[in-house]
């Protein structure tokens, strides 16, 4: 019997989906964060359940050749990276194994990953910084990231995956807050003003959007702050105040007030330029996004004659990427601002064969099919982590496009949805793209081909 607080010597036999080490003691599974397959470690048991236990490393007796010195002082406390203690190559192997075994479990057969698109320089890749601002135990203002599964803010001023300019701007805003005694949001009393700093960066255009999320209509010394920060960083093209007075975990409120500039920025992806608004989704690793979209379009094998649906289209990026090689693109997305951006993005890029519609895919897709009497040849799916709605999958099984190219940031929901689509489709090819280096997150792109005689 494994007991809490007891110490054991174990060998790590595998790494799990989140990179955690897995060991067995008399057949009983122990999960050990930070341990790498092949290592021999001394552990202390922290928690025991009926089916498994959790332990922590006390000492490493035999270290893996993949182990690396951790280069981040907030590692394992912040909810960002999970795999910084190992070599990048090994992080890729863990992600590959996670995708393969999730798909195998769901589909009951081996699935071969044909390509792994790694990142050449897997650092400072994020184009979006989102730091809470609050008050520490000593009553001092604090800015950083939430510790995993808590609302404790860990001071962060040198994140290894954030864009360096974004980090510098956040640090300067924090300095202004401290020097000017700005009253920041206090989660306990629900008083104070500034509660989040969000910075979005067009990596290619070097344009920066600053969003100040405030609990109050007015941020103390608002104009002085804007003047200070834009003088220091002329790359800031627009500043937006977002009002969020609710006692909630949701970062953004519904009201946006443009304090400076036009309220949006541009970024370039491939040969295209995209307008990005505060509420619109935009992939956080644009270097890898270009490769991801290229792969998705390669999988679609377009000839220029196809009618394409870009479902969950965001600001229209995938559809616009595919537009040159298609007859017509129809995009659907739930966020109205994103669809406004998508329409402008089509114009901006001289794309005349794309139309975009606001709505939930599950409802808007059937009505669009009915109203326009359309028969898509290729459907791109790029849903959020929860995957596609059952109704959407059933609609696809009814209309039977020749190809479905499924872009997914969650192997579990991808596998679930592919299992449903397998009724009429064959999973033909699958690649993974490392969009989120040194985290356990992984992006997949899969192509499903309509089976013959369907
Ligand atoms: C992973 S993002 C992909 C966006 C876009 N394809 C891209 O690459 O930037 C998923 C998008 O789906 C949208 N979304 C979420 N649920 C939706 C739904 N039920 N119907 C339509 N769009 C939805 C989100 O707002 C988000 O823009």
């Amino acid at each position: 019997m494994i007991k809490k607080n007891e110490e054991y010597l174990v060998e790590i036999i595998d790494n799990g989906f989140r990179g955690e080490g897995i060991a067995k003691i008399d057949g009983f599974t122990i999960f050990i964060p930070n341990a790498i397959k092949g290592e021999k470690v001394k552990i202390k048991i922290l928690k025991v359940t009926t089916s498994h236990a959790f332990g922590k490393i006390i000492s490493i007796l035999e270290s893996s050749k993949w182990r690396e010195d951790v280069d981040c002082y907030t590692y394992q406390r912040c909810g960002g990276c999970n795999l910084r203690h190992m070599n990048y190559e090994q992080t890729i192997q863990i992600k590959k194994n996670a995708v393969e075994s999730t798909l195998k479990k769901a589909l009951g057969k081996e699935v071969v990953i044909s390509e792994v698109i790694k990142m050449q320089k897997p650092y400072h890749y994020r184009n979006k910084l989102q730091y809470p601002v609050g008050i520490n135990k000593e009553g001092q203002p604090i800015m950083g990231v939430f510790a995993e599964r808590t609302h404790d803010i860990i001071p962060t001023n040198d994140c290894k995956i954030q864009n360096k300019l974004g980090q510098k701007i956040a640090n300067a805003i924090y300095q202004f807050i401290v020097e000017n005694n700005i009253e920041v949001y206090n989660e306990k009393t629900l008083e104070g003003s500034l509660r989040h700093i969000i910075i979005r960066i067009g990596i290619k255009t070097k344009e920066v959007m600053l969003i100040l999320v405030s609990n109050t209509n007015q941020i103390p010394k608002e104009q002085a702050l804007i003047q200070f920060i834009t003088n220091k960083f002329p790359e800031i093209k627009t500043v937006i105040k977002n009002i969020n007075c609710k006692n909630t975990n949701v970062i953004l409120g519904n009201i946006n007030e443009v304090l400076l500039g036009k309220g949006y920025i541009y970024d370039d992806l491939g040969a295209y330029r995209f307008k990005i608004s505060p509420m619109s989704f935009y992939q956080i690793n644009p270097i890898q996004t270009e490769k991801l979209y290229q792969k998705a379009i390669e999988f679609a094998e377009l000839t220029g004659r196809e009618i394409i649906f870009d479902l969950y289209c965001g600001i229209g990026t995938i559809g616009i990427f595919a537009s040159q090689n298609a007859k017509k693109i129809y995009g659907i997305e739930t966020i109205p601002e994103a669809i406004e951006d998508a329409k402008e993005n089509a114009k901006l890029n001289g794309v005349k064969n794309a139309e975009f519609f606001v709505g939930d895919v599950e409802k808007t897709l059937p009505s669009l099919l009915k109203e326009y009497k359309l028969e898509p040849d290729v459907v791109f799916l790029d849903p959020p982590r929860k995957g596609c709605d059952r109704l959407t999958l059933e609609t696809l099984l009814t209309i039977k496009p020749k190809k479905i190219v499924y872009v997914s940031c969650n192997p579990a929901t991808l596998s679930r949805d592919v299992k449903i689509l397998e009724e009429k489709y064959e999973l033909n090819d699958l690649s993974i793209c490392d969009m989120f280096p040194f985290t356990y997150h992984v992006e997949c792109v899969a192509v499903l081909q309509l089976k013959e005689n369907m």
Side-chain angles (χ1 to χ4, degrees):
M1 265 282 280
I2 305 292
K3 286 206 184 106
K4 190 176 166 179
N5 292 328
E6 295 273 295
E7 293 181 5
Y8 298 87
L9 287 181
V10 293
E11 183 168 346
I12 307 301
I13 54 168
D14 208 350
N15 282 104
F17 293 170
R18 297 189 167 211
E20 69 280 28
I22 299 173
K24 296 252 184 201
I25 301 176
D26 298 332
F28 196 74
T29 305
I30 327 276
F31 295 108
I32 307 140
N34 259 325
I36 305 174
K37 186 176 174 183
E39 290 188 323
K40 289 207 172 86
V41 290
K42 187 175 184 185
I43 59 164
K44 183 174 181 178
I45 299 295
L46 300 178
K47 187 178 172 187
V48 185
T49 73
T50 47
S51 57
H52 56 270
F54 297 93
K56 74 166 184 183
I57 296 181
I58 295 175
S59 58
I60 300 174
L61 307 171
E62 269 178 43
S63 185
S64 163
K65 66 174 180 178
W66 300 111
R67 186 166 282 280
E68 296 261 315
D69 289 339
V70 172
D71 55 0
C72 172
Y73 66 97
T74 62
Y75 183 54
Q76 296 291 341
R77 288 190 292 142
C78 100
C81 303
N82 332 78
L83 307 172
R84 296 209 80 81
H85 58 283
M86 59 180 85
N87 180 280
Y88 182 59
E89 287 303 319
Q90 186 62 7
T91 69
I92 295 292
Q93 198 52 47
I94 285 178
K95 293 182 193 200
K96 200 165 169 256
N97 292 348
V99 172
E100 277 168 353
S101 65
T102 310
L103 278 157
K104 186 176 173 188
K105 212 167 159 190
L107 307 181
K109 61 182 180 210
E110 298 283 346
V111 173
V112 178
I113 295 172
S114 64
E115 192 184 356
V116 179
I117 306 167
K118 292 184 244 176
M119 199 169 183
Q120 268 172 359
K121 290 187 192 150
Y123 300 94
H124 303 290
Y125 55 82
R126 283 187 65 98
N127 60 6
K128 185 180 182 186
L129 172 155
Q130 204 156 262
Y131 283 171
V133 186
I135 293 176
N136 67 11
K137 286 192 187 98
E138 288 74 43
Q140 303 300 320
I142 186 168
M143 173 200 79
V145 285
F146 286 131
E148 206 167 7
R149 280 181 241 115
T150 77
H151 267 211
D152 299 337
I153 298 172
I154 300 171
T156 311
N157 57 25
D158 179 26
C159 174
K160 295 289 183 277
I161 61 172
Q162 272 310 339
N163 177 276
K164 286 183 184 171
L165 174 62
Q167 180 72 62
K168 275 190 201 162
I169 296 172
N171 293 351
I173 295 174
Y174 176 66
Q175 182 199 343
F176 183 92
I177 291 170
V178 173
E179 285 172 4
N180 291 275
N181 290 318
I182 306 281
E183 205 193 330
V184 297
Y185 184 59
N186 183 332
E187 263 199 344
K188 294 210 173 82
T189 62
L190 309 180
E191 283 168 357
S193 176
L194 196 61
R195 55 192 287 179
H196 260 93
I197 296 166
I198 301 175
I199 294 164
R200 298 181 81 171
I201 302 186
I203 300 289
K204 294 256 181 75
T205 57
K206 306 268 184 292
E207 291 187 356
V208 176
M209 172 191 292
L210 169 63
I211 307 173
L212 301 167
V213 184
S214 175
N215 178 47
T216 51
N217 288 339
Q218 188 73 22
I219 301 169
K221 302 201 174 155
E222 191 173 283
Q223 280 310 315
L225 168 58
I226 293 170
Q227 207 155 28
F228 162 78
I229 203 69
T230 51
N231 277 346
K232 209 170 161 74
F233 299 100
E235 299 91 336
I236 301 176
K237 296 293 173 227
T238 191
V239 181
I240 293 142
K241 180 167 57 179
N242 176 275
I243 312 285
N244 185 358
C245 311
K246 288 191 187 149
N247 181 12
T248 165
N249 285 341
V250 179
I251 295 173
L252 287 172
N254 294 326
I255 302 168
N256 283 319
E257 190 186 322
V258 179
L259 301 178
L260 182 102
K262 294 184 171 156
Y264 55 82
I265 53 166
Y266 292 110
D267 195 19
D268 293 343
L269 278 181
Y272 302 97
R273 175 151 286 201
F274 292 98
K275 177 186 166 200
I276 305 155
S277 295
M279 307 304 256
S280 300
F281 177 91
Y282 183 60
Q283 299 282 356
I284 57 101
N285 183 341
I287 293 172
Q288 291 299 88
T289 302
E290 287 183 354
K291 297 179 193 161
L292 175 76
Y293 290 172
Q294 275 156 12
K295 190 77 211 170
I297 286 160
E298 180 192 315
F299 275 168
E301 294 181 304
L302 302 175
T303 64
R305 292 189 295 273
E306 288 81 7
I307 291 184
I308 292 179
F309 280 10
D310 177 7
L311 304 183
Y312 312 90
C313 68
I315 58 173
T317 41
I318 296 180
I320 289 174
F321 252 67
S323 60
Q324 267 192 344
N325 301 314
K327 187 173 166 195
K328 182 90 197 206
I329 314 282
Y330 296 89
I332 303 177
E333 157 69 40
T334 191
I335 307 249
E337 287 90 340
I339 285 296
E340 285 308 308
D341 287 353
K343 287 177 181 169
E344 278 196 42
N345 287 332
K347 267 196 215 145
L348 194 66
N349 292 290
V351 171
K352 297 202 171 68
N353 57 344
E355 276 187 64
F356 295 99
F357 300 85
V358 180
D360 290 335
V361 167
E362 49 278 21
K363 292 191 198 122
T364 307
L365 176 63
S367 55
L368 201 68
L369 290 165
K370 209 168 149 194
E371 197 178 322
Y372 286 63
K373 309 230 173 335
L374 295 169
E375 285 185 24
D377 303 291
V378 175
V379 171
F380 288 100
L381 295 172
D382 186 7
R385 287 187 66 72
K386 67 176 185 193
C388 294
D389 189 273
R390 180 82 199 208
L391 199 61
T392 301
L393 299 172
E394 275 161 15
T395 306
L396 293 177
L397 286 169
T398 310
I399 61 170
K400 298 185 285 189
K402 282 185 219 76
K403 272 191 175 54
I404 298 174
V405 179
Y406 195 140
V407 178
S408 162
C409 57
N410 186 349
T413 52
L414 171 72
S415 307
R416 179 202 67 198
D417 293 351
V418 168
K419 175 81 189 153
I420 294 168
L421 291 168
E422 268 198 330
E423 186 191 321
K424 293 188 181 166
Y425 286 85
E426 200 89 60
L427 177 60
N428 252 7
D429 208 342
L430 176 88
S431 288
I432 64 179
C433 180
D434 197 20
M435 295 280 274
F436 319 103
F438 293 112
T439 75
Y440 65 79
H441 293 287
V442 56
E443 192 87 9
C444 298
V445 51
V447 57
L448 295 117
Q449 177 83 38
L450 187 66
K451 289 178 187 167
E452 279 179 28
N453 309 321
M454 281 294 165

